[in-house]
Each structure stands twice: as structure tokens, then as C-alpha cells.
Amino acid sequence: MSAKPSFFAELQRRNVYKVGAMYAVAGWLLVQVVTQVFPVFHVSERIQQWIVLAIVAGFPVVLVLSWIYELTPQGIVRTDEVAPDASISRHTGQQLNRAIIGVLTVAVLVLAAKLLWPRAAPTTAESGAPAPAANDKSIAVLPFENLSDDKANGYFAEGMQDEILTRLAKVGTLRVISRTSTLRYASVPDNIGEIAQQLGVANILEGSVQKAGNQVRINVQLIRAAGDSHLWAETYDRTLDNVFGVQGEVAGAIADALGAKLSGGERKELGWVPTQNAAAYDAYLRGLALYDRGFQNASFIESTQSFEEAVRADPDFALAWARLARGYALMIFFGFDASLQERDKALHALETAERLQPDLAEAQMARATYVYRVERNYDKAFQLFGALHQRWPNDSEAPVLMSYILARQGRIGEALQLASEALQLDPRNMQLLKLQVLSALNQRRIAEALKGVDRIQELVPGESESLVYRAQLYQMQGDLPQAAVLLDVRSMPQSDFDPYVQQARLERRYSPLIGRLQEIAEAGGTGLQAQAAIDARIDLADLQRLDGQPAAAAASYRRALDQAQAI
């Protein structure tokens, strides 16, 4: 009677060792496919993690199954049911040997490829810092420093920064903070880590531009906020005649340094050169810098004039036509010029941009802006902005304008939800933060509104509009003396004076404000100033009536009506 084989001998006979080795090598190969290939197709990290866990959990299961079952000519059966003389485990083991050799060969080739051709980690000669991890693909582009002797060239540095940021924002695997949230920072700050924390990013891009005659030098450096380590730096020397594609070069190098996967379309967007005309491009950059300075009559008018200059110099400059269309639309919307001639010019600029570059994202933004600002078709504009946001997820302007549309339609809850989403890309956007405060204010959620005002004051100490919001909250709580401290009539702005009027009504002290409203009403002006003058005259008439001056009130109402009809 033969001795019963040992446990380890039985493991060998049943090919458990070989099955385990085969599974381990095949599992390692599959993990390589999951971690290297899946990110290219933007498969979420959660799915990748579950697949890897499933592979690991399957190892003991396979070992148990190889012990219990055996492969026979009749199929898979329990090992206990196979007579020793009928077992073909030795034959199966030989097949497993060949399979293991094949899989090992593939594994060795994969491993050799990773060792011999590793992904180049961007470094600098000084620090040798590696690229950030895959989840650290967030970046803020600080204002570029103007090193030109002629400080009037500041617009050139501003425009270059804006163009690089715009290109980066078109890379879907990056998270790029909007310019409105970075423009308040210094070009070369000494608190990189603090700024990165405030903006919620892992990386900061600093830059400088020096323009002298026909020469341009652009210095850029990418900094990992954690540890203030330099990931990449480069200097670009160009003439004004060949500076047009440098923004795409910079954006592409940054994307590579951060390990961002670029689709074919994104790579094409980065390499696209909008014009070859130096004069047109210079005018375009000047227009960009003016456009980003906010809702001011002079800025909008000068910005639009610069874009007009750009398209005169290069009639095929689609990007400038798109910006020009947006400029006209804003001038119409805010009342700078609502004439039919201006509407025709806006439509012509839009259609020219779409004809020259049908797939241009900026042309799509111009179309949505025209529908919103000129046609006032809010539902259609909302759909167009939504489609653009899907294509250009890093651009905050589309969700911002979508939130404005929802607010105009009275859908405050949805507007706030979109505003919160936009704040992820534009955390210091004053308009969005004020929208949140105004919503809380209008719904008398006093604690929430106060928290929002504190946030704005923390970001921009002394910000005047949020101080007026605080005064309104004091009014709601019946604390008129505290509200009066913040609502000094002498410093009342040229528009949005409703809280001051409300304070006068509550205190029943009309004379000080009557004089100030008369000044604003008589000042007149165009665009927003003209509208403010009409509003001031209506409020003036109301207070004159309450102050016992019916004849003066009637005259003010008539003049307000005449002014409104005139525009």
C-alpha cells in the first residue's frame, strides 16, 4: 500500500503552483493595461481601482479552484472524482508551462519597455523635481510681469497671459483657474503656497514679457506649490513677426509637464496660429487686456476699437472677429449703443468669425453671447452656453452666464448651483460671490448673507458693494445707526443707490439724499450712466414727494419719462 502523498506534493500534482504563477503574471499584465491605457480614454480612477481590487481578490479563488477541479478530456470535473490512472494533470502541467513561458515573455518585454523608455519627468537643472502625480493637474496662471522699458506695453504681457491661459483651459484633463481670480495677485509673489491654497490648485505658472522694438522675450516657469519646487522653465525669444504660435508652445509644454493626456483635437487647438499679421495681433492683445478690465464704458469702447483695428489689419483673423462680436453685443446690452446699425455690425462680426473658422470655440461663445445679449433669447442662449461648457469645461464664463440667465428667469436655486460650479474654476469671482449674497439677502437668510459678505471682504478688504450689502442686512435687523455708518451719502456710487434711498425712507430724512440724486440725474451720460441718471431722477421724484414737494416731484417724473423715451 503506497504512502499518502504530502500536502505540498499534492499541490504540485494538481498544478496549483503553476496556476498561481500563471494568474500572478497575467494579473500583473492586466493591471498594466488598466493603469496605462484606461486613462487615455478618460476611464474614471474609481473604475480602475475596482478592477485592480478584483484582480487581487481573484488570486486566492483561482488557487482554491485549481485544487478542487481538474481539466479532463471530458471537461472540468472535481479532482476527487478522477481515478489516479485517468488523471491528465501532468499533461495539463505541460500546457501550463508553455502558457507561463508565453505570458512571462510578454511581461518581460513590458517591463523592459518601462525601464528603458520611462516617461520623461520634467525637471529643472536646479531642483530635478519630478512631475506631479496624476491627480495634481490643477494650475493657476498668475499675471505676467511687464519687463519692457515702455510701461505702456503692459497690455502685451496681459494679452500673452490671457492667451496662454485660454489655450490651457481647452485641455480637458487639466483644471485651470480663470483669469478673474488670479489678476489680483502679484506677478512674482513670495507666498506661492498660500496662493495655491486660496485658489485650490497644486501648480502655479509665473511669467514675464519683455518687448523691445521688434524683439519679444517671454520667460515662464511652472512651480509645484508643495515645497515650492520648480517643475519646468523656459525662455522664448521671438520677433513680433513670429510670436503668434508661442502661446500654444507654452501651453503644450505645461500640459506635458503636468502629465496631461491630450486628444488629437486638443493638440490641434494648442498648435493653431490665429494670424500671421504682427499689427493685427498687437491690436488684438491690446483689445484683450482692455476687455478683461470689467464693465466700464471706456474699457469696452477702447477694447472694441482695438478689435476693429485687428480685423482691418487682417480680415481673416477669425479670433479677433469673434471677440469683436462679443464687444458689440456687450455695448448693445449695457446701452452704450443699441442702434440698429450696431446690431448689424455685431451680426456681421459674428457671421464672419463663423465663416472663417466654423469650429472655433470662441466663435461658439460669440454666438451664444449674441443670442443672450442682443436677441435676449434666454432659453436658446442657455442651450448654446451649455453645449460650449461641455466642449470647454475649464472656461468659467459659460456657467457664469448660464447662472445669470437662470437668475433673470427667477430660477434662483438652479442659478446658485451653477454659480457654485463656476466658483470651482473662478473662486475669487466677485460677481458670483455677490450673486450668492444677493440671493441670501433677498430671501432674508441673514446669517448666510453675512458669511458671504465676510468672504468678499476677506478677499478684497473695503470692497464697496459688499459693504452696502452689509448695510442692507443692518436695515433688515432694524439697526439703522449701523447701516447709516456704511451708507454715507457723500460716497454714494453713481448707480445702485437703492439701499441709500431705503435708508432715507426708514429714517425719514430726505434732504441730504435729494441733493446727491439731483447731481447724478443732471450728470447724464451714455450707456449705463444714462440709465443711472434716469433711475436717480425717479428716486429723486419719490423722495421729493415724501418730503412735501409735489410740484418738484411732478417735474422730476416728467423729465425721467422724457429721458427714458429718448433712449
Side-chain angles (χ1 to χ4, degrees), residues 30 137 191 222 242 260 301 323 360 403 454 459 472 564:
L30 186 55
K137 296 181 176 65
N191 56 339
L222 182 63
N242 69 352
I301 293 172
R323 282 286 185 173
L360 186 65
S403 71
D454 290 341
L459 294 174
Q472 289 179 280

Side-chain angles (χ1 to χ4, degrees), residues 193-401:
E194 183 181 338
I195 291 174
Q197 185 176 15
Q198 291 172 356
L199 297 175
V201 296
N203 308 283
I204 297 289
L205 183 74
E206 294 179 348
S208 64
V209 177
Q210 185 174 14
K211 181 184 176 187
N214 193 43
Q215 299 295 316
V216 178
R217 168 167 287 187
I218 303 166
N219 288 297
V220 283
Q221 57 179 338
L222 182 63
I223 302 170
R224 177 74 179 276
D228 198 10
S229 56
H230 288 64
L231 298 177
W232 167 83
E234 188 60 83
T235 297
Y236 298 85
D237 288 311
R238 297 286 190 276
T239 65
L240 291 178
D241 295 327
N242 69 352
V243 74
F244 316 109
V246 70
Q247 301 91 335
E249 291 181 46
V250 174
I254 293 168
D256 290 340
L258 296 178
K261 303 290 185 182
L262 295 178
S263 67
E266 288 170 345
R267 186 72 69 179
K268 182 180 178 182
E269 288 262 21
L270 294 185
W272 175 59
V273 176
T275 182
Q276 296 285 355
N277 186 299
Y281 196 61
D282 187 78
Y284 172 74
L285 292 181
R286 191 183 321 115
L288 269 188
L290 290 165
Y291 186 92
D292 288 331
R293 290 179 187 171
F295 296 154
Q296 300 171 5
N297 292 31
S299 292
F300 273 143
I301 293 172
E302 291 177 29
S303 171
T304 303
Q305 290 172 343
S306 293
F307 292 135
E308 288 174 337
E309 183 181 339
V311 298
R312 279 197 301 270
D314 180 4
D316 294 329
F317 195 172
L319 196 58
W321 280 111
R323 282 286 185 173
L324 180 59
R326 290 168 64 182
Y328 286 142
L330 285 167
M331 291 177 67
I332 293 168
F333 186 82
F334 289 111
F336 300 152
D337 189 342
S339 66
L340 290 177
Q341 181 183 3
E342 204 71 14
R343 288 170 178 259
D344 290 342
K345 288 163 67 176
L347 184 59
H348 171 70
L350 170 62
E351 291 177 341
T352 302
E354 291 175 328
R355 174 178 56 80
L356 291 170
Q357 199 80 26
D359 297 330
L360 186 65
E362 284 83 351
Q364 190 176 345
M365 172 63 81
R367 169 61 67 179
T369 303
Y370 180 86
V371 172
Y372 171 40
R373 303 291 195 188
V374 180
E375 294 182 351
R376 307 291 178 97
N377 186 336
Y378 294 157
D379 289 336
K380 183 179 178 182
F382 189 86
Q383 292 176 353
L384 292 173
F385 283 128
L388 180 64
H389 188 45
Q390 291 295 317
R391 174 184 176 182
W392 198 354
N394 271 307
D395 182 70
S396 67
E397 189 170 4
V400 167
L401 293 173

Side-chain angles (χ1 to χ4, degrees), residues 48 108 146 236 253 269 278 348 374 442 447 467 493 526:
Q48 297 176 46
V108 168
N146 175 31
Y236 298 85
E269 288 262 21
H348 171 70
V374 180
N442 292 336
L467 290 179
T526 60

Side-chain angles (χ1 to χ4, degrees), residues 475 480 483-484 487 489 492 497-514 517 539 542-544 546-547:
Q475 290 174 347
L480 297 183
L487 296 174
V489 172
M492 187 177 77
F497 26 73
D498 286 350
Y500 295 83
V501 174
Q502 178 70 356
Q503 185 75 9
R505 287 171 176 269
L506 292 171
E507 292 180 337
R508 300 187 180 183
R509 293 179 63 249
Y510 310 116
S511 297
L513 190 57
I514 283 176
L517 289 172
D539 286 331
D542 288 343
L543 295 186
Q544 287 171 329
L546 292 172
D547 196 40

